[in-house]
Amino acid sequence: PAALGGSGDTKQCWTDGYPFQAVSDTFRLYYIVATGYHTSEMVFQLLFESDRPDFSEMLIHHMTAVFLLVFSFLMNFVRIGSLVLFIHDVSDLPTYLAKIFVDSPCSKTTFGFYLCMLAAWGYLRLYVFPAYVIKSAMFESVEQLNGDDVVGWYFFNGLMGVLYLLHLYWYFMFLKMGWHFVKKGETRDMQANLTAMDLQKLKGGGKKDQ
């Protein structure tokens, strides 16, 4: 769609004989790699990162991503799935770049990538994702199929709703991290360290009360 720099329409996700749309070998490989990545992240977290402060949020995210990828591939929701993957992969770039520098002395570089991340997340994940992708999956799918039942409609849209709620939560955490930088001039890891800071404050407050 134009919102992502293209010239197509999200309605095309449900045309051309859906659900019997052709899937290229290249795109099939992309889906397999993405599924493998999120599966490995989920397993690694269960085995080695159960003590992370953001364990629950990340586990929900990885499980949701795996279920979405596997289900959308099996049901041939690959066109709408490709938009979901594109939105997340592009907005992840400034996030990982910020994480590369977050524990370094390059605070200005970190903050620059942080601002890019806020812009990318705000536009792609908080605006384009619900306004185009979720809207298409919820409404255009039914319209284009003339009211015929879309297999797994509730399950697929429910998972994307969970994903969007996680985006809102993390965006709030990112804003909180930025406020910490403005106040103290210190950069912290985007998710885990910020949550850990909150836990330390709660523990510290509990000790004072005692």
Side-chain angles (χ1 to χ4, degrees):
L4 293 176
S7 58
D9 194 305
T10 51
K11 291 180 180 179
Q12 294 173 339
C13 292
W14 315 102
T15 58
D16 300 330
Y18 172 85
F20 303 106
Q21 298 163 331
V23 181
S24 68
D25 291 338
T26 302
F27 191 73
R28 190 188 303 272
L29 178 62
Y30 178 44
Y31 239 78
I32 292 172
V33 171
T35 304
Y37 167 75
H38 285 287
T39 302
S40 65
E41 286 286 296
M42 180 178 66
V43 173
F44 183 84
Q45 187 172 25
L46 286 170
L47 294 178
F48 304 108
E49 297 186 331
S50 59
D51 58 343
R52 281 173 58 104
D54 61 344
F55 172 79
S56 298
E57 304 97 286
M58 292 304 298
L59 181 62
I60 292 173
H61 171 263
H62 292 313
M63 290 179 64
T64 302
V66 170
F67 280 128
L68 274 173
L69 284 162
V70 173
F71 181 78
S72 63
F73 187 77
L74 292 177
M75 295 296 104
N76 211 21
F77 290 178
V78 290
R79 291 190 178 181
I80 198 73
S82 67
L83 297 180
V84 177
L85 285 172
F86 179 80
I87 285 171
H88 287 77
D89 288 345
V90 171
S91 57
D92 272 341
L93 287 175
T95 305
Y96 287 122
L97 287 171
K99 285 189 173 185
I100 289 174
F101 293 98
V102 71
D103 293 321
S104 72
C106 307
S107 59
K108 291 183 179 179
T109 302
T110 304
F111 195 66
F113 284 125
Y114 164 79
L115 294 177
C116 292
M117 181 195 69
L118 286 184
W121 273 62
Y123 179 71
L124 292 173
R125 297 199 184 199
L126 300 189
Y127 170 63
V128 175
F129 183 56
Y132 288 86
V133 178
I134 294 180
K135 177 186 175 183
S136 179
M138 291 187 69
F139 303 110
E140 291 177 351
S141 60
V142 178
E143 294 172 3
Q144 293 300 309
L145 298 176
N146 298 317
D148 293 341
D149 290 338
V150 180
V151 178
W153 185 92
Y154 291 100
F155 182 71
F156 186 70
N157 284 290
L159 288 178
M160 288 207 294
V162 171
L163 206 56
Y164 184 64
L165 290 176
L166 286 171
H167 294 168
L168 291 172
Y169 167 76
W170 279 323
Y171 201 76
F172 169 75
M173 297 297 285
F174 294 156
L175 291 174
K176 194 172 180 181
M177 190 277 291
W179 179 245
H180 177 81
F181 174 81
V182 171
K183 285 180 65 178
K184 298 187 177 181
E186 299 176 357
T187 54
R188 298 292 182 103
D189 193 3
M190 299 299 171
Q191 295 156 208
N193 287 357
L194 185 60
T195 311
M197 286 164 50
D198 294 336
L199 291 175
Q200 289 172 3
K201 287 180 181 179
L202 289 174
K203 291 179 180 178
K207 291 180 180 180
K208 288 180 181 179
D209 293 338
Q210 292 175 359

